[in-house]
Each structure stands twice: as C-alpha cells, then as structure tokens.
Amino acid sequence: MRTPGAASVLKLLANGLTRQEFSQLLLLYTARANLVLYEFIREFYWPRYSAGRDSITLDDAREFVLTAVREGKTQKPWSDTTIKRISSYLVSSCADYGLLSDNVRGPRSILPFRIQPKVAAYLSYDFKFQGLGDNQILGHSDWQLFGLEREDARDQLKRLSLQGFLIMQSAADVTQISWTYKKMDEVIDVLTQG
C-alpha cells in the first residue's frame, strides 16, 4: 500500500495541527533525511536529557561529529570547516524544533519535550503503512527521536487506544494492534479535524 510522500503529508497537515504538533512532524522528517541529526538526537541529546544534564554546547556537538568521523560513519573524512558547520547545524536544528533553547551564544538549555498525541498517532500509522508488524512498530528507532524506548512507545499506544485511534492488546512481550483507519488519508482527516 503506497503512502503519500513527506511533502504531500506535511502540506495536508499544515493547517490542521498546532504549531508544536507540526514542528514535531518537521523534526521527524528532517531527522529521517539527515542521518547525522537523527543519530545526534538519539545517541547524544536524549542520553544527556535522561542523565539530568541541563545544557548542550557547540563543543559537545563538535565532539559528537568528530567521534562519528573517527568511527568511520562518514563516507570520507570531513574537513574542519565541515565539522564546524555540521556541529552548528545540529545545535541550531535542535533549537528550531524545541529540544534546546534558542540563545545564540554559550550553552543551550535542554528543554522539556514530549511527543504530542497526534504526532504519536501519525507516527504509528506511518509505521503501519510502511508494512511493519505490531512488535516492529513498538521497537522502531523513530520513537527515540521523541525520547521513547519500547515500553514508552507501548504506553503511548495505550493512550492512543483510549482516544480511539487504534485498539491495542498487550501481554508480556506480545502486542496486537487493530487499526481504526485503513488509509493514511483517513488518518490525516481525523488529525486535522480536531
């Protein structure tokens, strides 16, 4: 089953979501398109957040990028200029999407951040229409962009079940989801109507 492309989806959702909801979808698609941002949020930002750290600096981002280059995660070594530019991009992107404060100089404060219910519903259906199984949906790494591990994603889906977006049954490590909507167009209609 073919799902609409990112640009089409965002255009359809733009006027029906709050600014925060729409920003979280932009974060999702931006991170999917930029692996370095995807990994920075998952592997650096959230561990710092969870450890109770209160800020992230440009030097922190630079060290993250240098480590990735040293570990061979880039196709070729990056120049100092590229490392500086990418480090700045990581910090400013996190600020743009509400993960960090937007002060330009000095450390950026880590801000409270929680996935919005409509974004969680959209993400769940996006996984479904990608052909993922119920347990694969719970374990997908995209949840980690929002600070959610497998158990957190399960809790999020339980809340979505209470809101009527889906029906979820879960026991031990087995989860079964019954989907309320059969097409992404239906999901988008529901999300933009209220």
Side-chain angles (χ1 to χ4, degrees):
M1 181 175 294
R2 189 175 181 281
T3 59
S8 299
V9 166
L10 292 171
K11 186 175 180 182
L12 291 169
L13 290 168
N15 294 326
L17 298 179
T18 67
R19 182 179 174 155
Q20 186 177 24
E21 291 164 342
F22 191 68
S23 177
Q24 287 187 4
L25 284 180
L26 291 175
L27 166 65
L28 171 68
Y29 281 109
T30 302
R32 283 179 175 176
N34 296 290
L35 187 57
V36 67
L37 178 61
Y38 192 90
E39 297 302 323
F40 181 75
I41 293 169
R42 290 177 55 242
E43 295 177 8
F44 189 81
Y45 173 85
W46 284 110
R48 298 271 301 215
Y49 184 101
S50 297
R53 301 294 295 265
D54 61 358
S55 65
I56 291 177
T57 66
L58 196 52
D59 286 340
D60 293 330
R62 186 174 186 279
E63 188 56 40
F64 173 84
V65 173
L66 284 170
T67 301
V69 170
R70 277 194 296 269
E71 291 175 355
K73 292 184 178 180
T74 58
Q75 291 180 359
K76 60 182 181 175
W78 286 350
S79 69
D80 288 342
T81 303
T82 300
I83 290 169
K84 183 178 179 181
R85 192 180 81 245
I86 296 298
S87 302
S88 179
Y89 164 76
L90 294 174
V91 172
S92 62
S93 291
C94 286
D96 289 345
Y97 295 117
L99 298 163
L100 295 174
S101 64
D102 55 2
N103 54 308
V104 179
R105 300 263 184 239
R108 306 250 188 157
S109 298
I110 295 175
L111 300 176
F113 190 89
R114 181 178 300 272
I115 191 170
Q116 296 296 300
K118 287 184 179 182
V119 175
Y122 174 82
L123 188 55
S124 301
Y125 274 93
D126 186 49
F127 295 148
K128 178 224 185 317
F129 293 128
Q130 287 179 37
L132 300 182
D134 297 346
N135 285 305
Q136 290 174 307
I137 289 171
L138 291 176
H140 199 284
S141 60
D142 282 0
W143 291 115
Q144 294 172 1
L145 290 170
F146 301 96
L148 304 176
E149 297 297 330
R150 183 180 182 85
E151 285 303 312
D152 303 317
R154 183 188 319 258
D155 291 343
Q156 190 66 52
L157 266 63
K158 286 178 185 176
R159 287 191 286 281
L160 292 175
S161 184
L162 294 172
Q163 296 173 340
F165 283 107
L166 49 88
I167 299 169
M168 187 178 97
Q169 298 174 324
S170 186
D173 287 339
V174 178
T175 297
Q176 183 174 355
I177 304 170
S178 298
W179 301 94
T180 305
Y181 307 106
K182 305 303 177 205
K183 296 179 181 177
M184 187 55 94
D185 292 346
E186 296 173 36
V187 177
I188 290 169
D189 287 344
V190 168
L191 294 177
T192 57
Q193 289 174 7

